[in-house]
């Protein structure tokens, strides 16, 4: 049930608002992907990170998507966050193979949605006895686009420090072909995620205009102080870039500790009338040098959920999780929001 099922005649500018109406005012985004792939047995010790599984374990990618759908997610993101043509080429793949893998990331997510709907039809109730959510509902597939820093795999998506050689045109050229491919891949929308600075946000919105991208997008930033994006750029100025682009349907924050989110929502509300999306990490600290998460620095699922209610009261209408959150986190969010939905 993609875009056409939300409203066959809707323009791209109203997709998210109509989708939210169908969802009862608030929608649930899925959670952390790499952690779940590892739990299923994948080895992600590679510059491609979770995109590696498009090559080695596509069945695991599909399984994780299904886990999140059965936990109550209304939006699932493709495993293309760190999938770039440049990254695949560096691993020895041709341009044609690289482009095919990008498209495949969205195809797998769409396949998981189809499998999920089949399971819903076979089920006699909205919730099965093992706690899975099996409910026919609108589900969107978002094509994930990570930042240039994600491709570098050096932790710079958490700093936004790309160096003086990286300017606006460089970033547009780096992302251009990937955005074109994902826009034509069958995804319902494009998710520009973990955007660490104003320059890259500007590059994304200019690409949407220059390439006349028809698929709508959201723009999501990350913060490490609860005031600015990680580069130190003003969050308000970054969010205003999304507000100024009619192809951007929602603006928000991801991969940011939960304790910062409320203040960030209030800052975004001052500069945008668009839906606000929030999908924080677990609050754990990431060591970019050692490429590992520091244990015992995050919040539990039980502690995560009370935040969600406050975020929605403050104005968030799309809520989920990012790194180190799990289907259990999303299940708890879904359960918490169920009573507040208007359908």
């Amino acid at each position: 049930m993609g875009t056409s099922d939300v409203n066959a005649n809707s323009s791209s500018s109203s997709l998210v608002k109509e989708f939210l109406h169908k969802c009862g005012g608030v929608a649930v985004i899925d959670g952390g992907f790499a952690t779940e792939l590892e739990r299923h047995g994948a080895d992600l010790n590679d510059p491609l990170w979770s995109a590696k599984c498009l090559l080695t374990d596509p069945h695991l990618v599909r399984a994780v998507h299904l886990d999140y759908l059965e936990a109550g997610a209304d939006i699932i993101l493709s495993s293309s966050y760190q999938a770039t043509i440049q990254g695949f080429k560096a691993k020895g793949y041709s341009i044609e193979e690289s482009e095919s893998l990008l498209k495949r990331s969205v195809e797998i997510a769409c396949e998981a949605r189809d499998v999920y709907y089949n399971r819903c039809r076979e089920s006699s109730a909205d919730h099965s006895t093992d706690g899975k959510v099996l409910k026919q509902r609108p589900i969107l597939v978002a094509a994930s686009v990570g930042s240039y820093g994600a491709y570098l795999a050096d932790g710079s998506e958490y700093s936004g420090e790309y160096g003086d050689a990286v300017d606006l045109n460089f970033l547009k050229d780096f992302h251009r072909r990937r955005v074109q491919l994902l826009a034509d891949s069958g995804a319902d929308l494009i998710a520009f995620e973990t955007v660490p600075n104003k320059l890259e946000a500007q590059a994304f919105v200019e690409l949407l205009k220059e390439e006349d991208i028809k698929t709508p997008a959201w723009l999501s930033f990350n913060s490490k102080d609860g005031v600015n994006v990680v580069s130190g750029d003003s969050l308000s100025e970054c969010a205003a870039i999304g507000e100024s682009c009619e192809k951007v349907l929602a603006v928000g924050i991801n991969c940011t500790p939960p304790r910062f989110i409320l203040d960030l929502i209030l800052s975004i509300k001052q500069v945008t009338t668009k839906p606000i999306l929030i999908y924080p990490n677990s609050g754990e600290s990431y060591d970019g040098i050692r490429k590992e998460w520091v244990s015992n620095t995050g919040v539990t699922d039980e502690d995560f959920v009370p935040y969600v209610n406050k975020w929605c009261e403050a104005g968030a209408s799309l809520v989920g999780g990012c790194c180190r959150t799990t289907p259990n986190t999303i299940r708890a969010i879904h359960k918490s929001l169920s009573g507040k939905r208007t359908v």
Side-chain angles (χ1 to χ4, degrees), residues 104-184:
R104 186 71 184 126
S105 69
V106 173
E107 290 170 359
I108 292 172
C110 292
E111 289 167 5
R113 178 171 59 184
D114 291 341
V115 171
Y116 176 77
Y117 282 144
N118 286 332
R119 292 183 181 179
C120 290
R121 284 189 287 270
E122 294 168 359
S123 174
S124 59
D126 282 351
H127 293 76
S128 62
T129 55
D130 58 2
K132 294 178 180 178
V133 178
L134 295 172
K135 180 180 180 180
Q136 286 280 358
R137 63 189 187 280
I139 292 169
L140 298 183
V141 170
S144 171
V145 175
S147 68
Y148 175 63
Y151 154 73
L152 295 176
D154 62 358
S156 58
E157 77 255 52
Y158 302 116
S159 70
E161 297 174 1
Y162 293 161
D164 294 338
V166 176
D167 60 13
L168 183 66
N169 287 328
F170 177 95
L171 289 172
K172 286 195 291 186
D173 289 341
F174 175 81
H175 288 295
R176 190 178 308 274
R177 184 57 181 154
R178 175 165 62 151
V179 171
Q180 290 172 333
L181 286 166
L182 291 174
D184 293 333

Side-chain angles (χ1 to χ4, degrees), residues 27-33 68 73 75 77 193 218 253-256 258 278-282 301 304 308 311 318-327 329-331 333:
V28 179
I29 305 170
D30 65 9
F33 214 84
Y68 279 117
I75 303 174
L77 278 70
E193 301 187 90
W218 78 42
I253 293 288
N254 75 291
C255 211
T256 296
I278 297 296
Y279 50 118
N281 56 35
S282 65
D301 292 339
F304 198 100
V308 171
W311 298 335
L318 300 105
V319 181
C322 199
C323 295
R324 307 289 280 182
T325 60
T326 70
T329 315
I330 301 309
R331 187 173 291 106
I333 293 173

Side-chain angles (χ1 to χ4, degrees), residues 220-279:
S220 185
F221 301 90
N222 57 337
S223 173
K224 58 187 175 186
D225 62 5
V227 179
N228 302 308
V229 299
V230 292
S231 65
D233 290 340
S234 161
L235 173 63
S236 295
E237 292 179 8
C238 289
I241 291 173
E243 172 67 14
S244 69
C245 179
E246 64 179 14
K247 296 175 184 288
V248 173
L249 305 190
V251 180
I253 293 288
N254 75 291
C255 211
T256 296
R259 66 183 182 276
F260 294 145
I261 296 298
L262 183 60
D263 287 341
L264 295 170
I265 293 172
L266 298 177
S267 294
I268 293 171
K269 278 182 67 176
Q270 294 177 5
V271 296
T272 186
T273 58
K274 296 179 180 181
I276 296 174
L277 59 103
I278 297 296
Y279 50 118

Side-chain angles (χ1 to χ4, degrees), residues 34-35 38 49 158 255-257 281-288 290-298 322-325:
T35 307
E38 290 176 326
W49 199 40
Y158 302 116
C255 211
T256 296
N281 56 35
S282 65
E284 294 170 81
S285 300
Y286 183 74
D287 187 328
R290 300 175 64 182
K291 291 183 168 52
E292 62 183 35
W293 292 90
V294 180
S295 61
N296 302 318
T297 56
C322 199
C323 295
R324 307 289 280 182
T325 60

Side-chain angles (χ1 to χ4, degrees), residues 57 67-68 81 92 100 155 163 172 207 212 287 301 303 325 331:
D57 302 290
D67 286 346
Y68 279 117
Y81 174 79
S100 177
K172 286 195 291 186
L207 270 183
D212 193 24
D287 187 328
D301 292 339
D303 293 331
T325 60
R331 187 173 291 106

